[in-house]
Amino acid sequence: MRAVVQRVTNARVIVGGRVVGQIGPGLFVLLGLKAGDTPKDLDWIAGKIERLRIFEDDAGLMNLSAGQVGGAICVVSQFTLYGDARKGNRPSFIEAMPVEQARAFWPQVQARFLQSGLECAFGDFQADMACELTNDGPVTIWLDSESK
């Protein structure tokens, strides 16, 4: 499982002209599911995101998590994080979780992030989404559950 985590001042996800998810300050997460990912991968990556200390404390150091600053989390499924363009110019997505498995797994993703107790918003799985956000810092972190 891969995640691109961005510290944001605000973010929203729009599908068909309708806002389906919106947050103020917090974390905007693009989450890619890999073939073979398990709930253990999800638990590791969600926990890591929840505990990431990328918000500034009073001394200006990145020392606080989203929960410690009252931040929210917006999670959007992003199979293209498993795009491999090493050969040619058209990416291969063979490592991404097959769509039917990913669709069945996505409710577990939502449930796990909601367990954090933080305000959570989500994109619509497999929808054509417009994601609008203001990256704060900018701060962007890459996580991969294979690194655990």
PDB file of all heavy atoms in Angstrom, residues 117-136:
ATOM      1  N   GLY A 117     -10.709   8.652  15.019  1.00  0.00           N
ATOM      2  CA  GLY A 117     -11.371   9.677  15.812  1.00  0.00           C
ATOM      3  C   GLY A 117     -11.245  11.063  15.212  1.00  0.00           C
ATOM      4  O   GLY A 117     -11.859  12.014  15.692  1.00  0.00           O
ATOM      5  N   LEU A 118     -10.458  11.183  14.149  1.00  0.00           N
ATOM      6  CA  LEU A 118     -10.312  12.464  13.467  1.00  0.00           C
ATOM      7  C   LEU A 118     -11.471  12.652  12.491  1.00  0.00           C
ATOM      8  O   LEU A 118     -12.063  11.680  12.030  1.00  0.00           O
ATOM      9  CB  LEU A 118      -9.000  12.504  12.685  1.00  0.00           C
ATOM     10  CG  LEU A 118      -7.708  12.361  13.487  1.00  0.00           C
ATOM     11  CD1 LEU A 118      -6.516  12.272  12.558  1.00  0.00           C
ATOM     12  CD2 LEU A 118      -7.556  13.522  14.451  1.00  0.00           C
ATOM     13  N   GLU A 119     -11.758  13.892  12.171  1.00  0.00           N
ATOM     14  CA  GLU A 119     -12.709  14.161  11.106  1.00  0.00           C
ATOM     15  C   GLU A 119     -12.135  13.564   9.828  1.00  0.00           C
ATOM     16  O   GLU A 119     -10.965  13.789   9.508  1.00  0.00           O
ATOM     17  CB  GLU A 119     -12.907  15.658  10.936  1.00  0.00           C
ATOM     18  CG  GLU A 119     -13.775  16.030   9.766  1.00  0.00           C
ATOM     19  CD  GLU A 119     -13.760  17.521   9.458  1.00  0.00           C
ATOM     20  OE1 GLU A 119     -13.323  18.317  10.297  1.00  0.00           O
ATOM     21  OE2 GLU A 119     -14.161  17.875   8.333  1.00  0.00           O
ATOM     22  N   CYS A 120     -12.937  12.799   9.099  1.00  0.00           N
ATOM     23  CA  CYS A 120     -12.471  12.155   7.872  1.00  0.00           C
ATOM     24  C   CYS A 120     -13.407  12.467   6.713  1.00  0.00           C
ATOM     25  O   CYS A 120     -14.618  12.558   6.890  1.00  0.00           O
ATOM     26  CB  CYS A 120     -12.398  10.641   8.042  1.00  0.00           C
ATOM     27  SG  CYS A 120     -11.152  10.067   9.198  1.00  0.00           S
ATOM     28  N   ALA A 121     -12.818  12.612   5.549  1.00  0.00           N
ATOM     29  CA  ALA A 121     -13.559  12.759   4.302  1.00  0.00           C
ATOM     30  C   ALA A 121     -12.917  11.811   3.302  1.00  0.00           C
ATOM     31  O   ALA A 121     -11.742  11.455   3.434  1.00  0.00           O
ATOM     32  CB  ALA A 121     -13.493  14.196   3.804  1.00  0.00           C
ATOM     33  N   PHE A 122     -13.693  11.416   2.297  1.00  0.00           N
ATOM     34  CA  PHE A 122     -13.199  10.447   1.326  1.00  0.00           C
ATOM     35  C   PHE A 122     -13.650  10.830  -0.072  1.00  0.00           C
ATOM     36  O   PHE A 122     -14.715  11.417  -0.250  1.00  0.00           O
ATOM     37  CB  PHE A 122     -13.731   9.041   1.645  1.00  0.00           C
ATOM     38  CG  PHE A 122     -13.354   8.561   3.003  1.00  0.00           C
ATOM     39  CD1 PHE A 122     -14.205   8.760   4.080  1.00  0.00           C
ATOM     40  CD2 PHE A 122     -12.137   7.938   3.220  1.00  0.00           C
ATOM     41  CE1 PHE A 122     -13.849   8.332   5.357  1.00  0.00           C
ATOM     42  CE2 PHE A 122     -11.772   7.509   4.485  1.00  0.00           C
ATOM     43  CZ  PHE A 122     -12.634   7.707   5.558  1.00  0.00           C
ATOM     44  N   GLY A 123     -12.837  10.446  -1.052  1.00  0.00           N
ATOM     45  CA  GLY A 123     -13.271  10.535  -2.431  1.00  0.00           C
ATOM     46  C   GLY A 123     -14.184   9.370  -2.725  1.00  0.00           C
ATOM     47  O   GLY A 123     -14.330   8.455  -1.910  1.00  0.00           O
ATOM     48  N   ASP A 124     -14.828   9.390  -3.879  1.00  0.00           N
ATOM     49  CA  ASP A 124     -15.673   8.277  -4.312  1.00  0.00           C
ATOM     50  C   ASP A 124     -14.799   7.282  -5.071  1.00  0.00           C
ATOM     51  O   ASP A 124     -14.127   7.653  -6.046  1.00  0.00           O
ATOM     52  CB  ASP A 124     -16.792   8.769  -5.232  1.00  0.00           C
ATOM     53  CG  ASP A 124     -17.894   9.475  -4.474  1.00  0.00           C
ATOM     54  OD1 ASP A 124     -17.886   9.462  -3.233  1.00  0.00           O
ATOM     55  OD2 ASP A 124     -18.774  10.050  -5.146  1.00  0.00           O
ATOM     56  N   PHE A 125     -14.822   6.033  -4.646  1.00  0.00           N
ATOM     57  CA  PHE A 125     -13.991   5.019  -5.267  1.00  0.00           C
ATOM     58  C   PHE A 125     -14.276   4.924  -6.759  1.00  0.00           C
ATOM     59  O   PHE A 125     -15.421   4.862  -7.186  1.00  0.00           O
ATOM     60  CB  PHE A 125     -14.214   3.646  -4.605  1.00  0.00           C
ATOM     61  CG  PHE A 125     -13.323   2.592  -5.164  1.00  0.00           C
ATOM     62  CD1 PHE A 125     -12.021   2.457  -4.710  1.00  0.00           C
ATOM     63  CD2 PHE A 125     -13.750   1.766  -6.189  1.00  0.00           C
ATOM     64  CE1 PHE A 125     -11.171   1.503  -5.258  1.00  0.00           C
ATOM     65  CE2 PHE A 125     -12.921   0.808  -6.730  1.00  0.00           C
ATOM     66  CZ  PHE A 125     -11.628   0.680  -6.267  1.00  0.00           C
ATOM     67  N   GLN A 126     -13.239   4.936  -7.556  1.00  0.00           N
ATOM     68  CA  GLN A 126     -13.238   4.755  -9.010  1.00  0.00           C
ATOM     69  C   GLN A 126     -14.008   5.847  -9.758  1.00  0.00           C
ATOM     70  O   GLN A 126     -14.312   5.690 -10.930  1.00  0.00           O
ATOM     71  CB  GLN A 126     -13.770   3.373  -9.388  1.00  0.00           C
ATOM     72  CG  GLN A 126     -13.232   2.894 -10.718  1.00  0.00           C
ATOM     73  CD  GLN A 126     -13.762   1.522 -11.107  1.00  0.00           C
ATOM     74  OE1 GLN A 126     -14.654   0.959 -10.474  1.00  0.00           O
ATOM     75  NE2 GLN A 126     -13.196   0.969 -12.153  1.00  0.00           N
ATOM     76  N   ALA A 127     -14.290   6.959  -9.119  1.00  0.00           N
ATOM     77  CA  ALA A 127     -14.963   8.068  -9.786  1.00  0.00           C
ATOM     78  C   ALA A 127     -13.927   8.959 -10.463  1.00  0.00           C
ATOM     79  O   ALA A 127     -12.747   8.958 -10.105  1.00  0.00           O
ATOM     80  CB  ALA A 127     -15.767   8.885  -8.780  1.00  0.00           C
ATOM     81  N   ASP A 128     -14.380   9.715 -11.427  1.00  0.00           N
ATOM     82  CA  ASP A 128     -13.551  10.753 -12.040  1.00  0.00           C
ATOM     83  C   ASP A 128     -13.647  11.959 -11.104  1.00  0.00           C
ATOM     84  O   ASP A 128     -14.680  12.622 -11.054  1.00  0.00           O
ATOM     85  CB  ASP A 128     -14.083  11.081 -13.434  1.00  0.00           C
ATOM     86  CG  ASP A 128     -13.194  12.055 -14.177  1.00  0.00           C
ATOM     87  OD1 ASP A 128     -12.100  12.392 -13.673  1.00  0.00           O
ATOM     88  OD2 ASP A 128     -13.603  12.500 -15.257  1.00  0.00           O
ATOM     89  N   MET A 129     -12.592  12.190 -10.330  1.00  0.00           N
ATOM     90  CA  MET A 129     -12.614  13.193  -9.265  1.00  0.00           C
ATOM     91  C   MET A 129     -11.744  14.387  -9.609  1.00  0.00           C
ATOM     92  O   MET A 129     -10.698  14.241 -10.228  1.00  0.00           O
ATOM     93  CB  MET A 129     -12.113  12.577  -7.953  1.00  0.00           C
ATOM     94  CG  MET A 129     -13.006  11.495  -7.404  1.00  0.00           C
ATOM     95  SD  MET A 129     -12.316  10.708  -5.932  1.00  0.00           S
ATOM     96  CE  MET A 129     -11.351   9.389  -6.678  1.00  0.00           C
ATOM     97  N   ALA A 130     -12.176  15.540  -9.156  1.00  0.00           N
ATOM     98  CA  ALA A 130     -11.346  16.738  -9.170  1.00  0.00           C
ATOM     99  C   ALA A 130     -10.963  16.993  -7.716  1.00  0.00           C
ATOM    100  O   ALA A 130     -11.837  17.130  -6.851  1.00  0.00           O
ATOM    101  CB  ALA A 130     -12.112  17.929  -9.741  1.00  0.00           C
ATOM    102  N   CYS A 131      -9.667  17.005  -7.452  1.00  0.00           N
ATOM    103  CA  CYS A 131      -9.180  17.222  -6.097  1.00  0.00           C
ATOM    104  C   CYS A 131      -8.568  18.618  -6.026  1.00  0.00           C
ATOM    105  O   CYS A 131      -7.649  18.933  -6.786  1.00  0.00           O
ATOM    106  CB  CYS A 131      -8.142  16.173  -5.723  1.00  0.00           C
ATOM    107  SG  CYS A 131      -8.772  14.488  -5.797  1.00  0.00           S
ATOM    108  N   GLU A 132      -9.088  19.424  -5.135  1.00  0.00           N
ATOM    109  CA  GLU A 132      -8.572  20.773  -4.932  1.00  0.00           C
ATOM    110  C   GLU A 132      -7.993  20.843  -3.529  1.00  0.00           C
ATOM    111  O   GLU A 132      -8.641  20.425  -2.573  1.00  0.00           O
ATOM    112  CB  GLU A 132      -9.693  21.795  -5.083  1.00  0.00           C
ATOM    113  CG  GLU A 132     -10.331  21.804  -6.454  1.00  0.00           C
ATOM    114  CD  GLU A 132     -11.513  22.759  -6.548  1.00  0.00           C
ATOM    115  OE1 GLU A 132     -11.958  23.290  -5.500  1.00  0.00           O
ATOM    116  OE2 GLU A 132     -11.999  22.960  -7.669  1.00  0.00           O
ATOM    117  N   LEU A 133      -6.766  21.342  -3.432  1.00  0.00           N
ATOM    118  CA  LEU A 133      -6.147  21.446  -2.117  1.00  0.00           C
ATOM    119  C   LEU A 133      -5.128  22.567  -2.107  1.00  0.00           C
ATOM    120  O   LEU A 133      -4.624  22.973  -3.153  1.00  0.00           O
ATOM    121  CB  LEU A 133      -5.485  20.124  -1.727  1.00  0.00           C
ATOM    122  CG  LEU A 133      -4.399  19.604  -2.669  1.00  0.00           C
ATOM    123  CD1 LEU A 133      -3.039  19.739  -2.036  1.00  0.00           C
ATOM    124  CD2 LEU A 133      -4.696  18.165  -3.012  1.00  0.00           C
ATOM    125  N   THR A 134      -4.855  23.033  -0.922  1.00  0.00           N
ATOM    126  CA  THR A 134      -3.780  23.997  -0.725  1.00  0.00           C
ATOM    127  C   THR A 134      -2.735  23.309   0.136  1.00  0.00           C
ATOM    128  O   THR A 134      -2.953  23.071   1.334  1.00  0.00           O
ATOM    129  CB  THR A 134      -4.293  25.277  -0.037  1.00  0.00           C
ATOM    130  OG1 THR A 134      -5.351  25.817  -0.817  1.00  0.00           O
ATOM    131  CG2 THR A 134      -3.173  26.299   0.090  1.00  0.00           C
ATOM    132  N   ASN A 135      -1.611  22.950  -0.486  1.00  0.00           N
ATOM    133  CA  ASN A 135      -0.518  22.281   0.208  1.00  0.00           C
ATOM    134  C   ASN A 135       0.127  23.301   1.123  1.00  0.00           C
ATOM    135  O   ASN A 135       0.500  24.394   0.696  1.00  0.00           O
ATOM    136  CB  ASN A 135       0.481  21.720  -0.810  1.00  0.00           C
ATOM    137  CG  ASN A 135       1.456  20.758  -0.203  1.00  0.00           C
ATOM    138  OD1 ASN A 135       2.020  21.005   0.850  1.00  0.00           O
ATOM    139  ND2 ASN A 135       1.686  19.663  -0.884  1.00  0.00           N
ATOM    140  N   ASP A 136       0.255  22.956   2.385  1.00  0.00           N
ATOM    141  CA  ASP A 136       0.784  23.852   3.409  1.00  0.00           C
ATOM    142  C   ASP A 136       2.255  23.548   3.643  1.00  0.00           C
ATOM    143  O   ASP A 136       2.613  22.480   4.121  1.00  0.00           O
ATOM    144  CB  ASP A 136      -0.014  23.652   4.700  1.00  0.00           C
ATOM    145  CG  ASP A 136       0.429  24.552   5.825  1.00  0.00           C
ATOM    146  OD1 ASP A 136       1.014  25.604   5.556  1.00  0.00           O
ATOM    147  OD2 ASP A 136       0.163  24.183   6.990  1.00  0.00           O
TER     148      ASP A 136
END
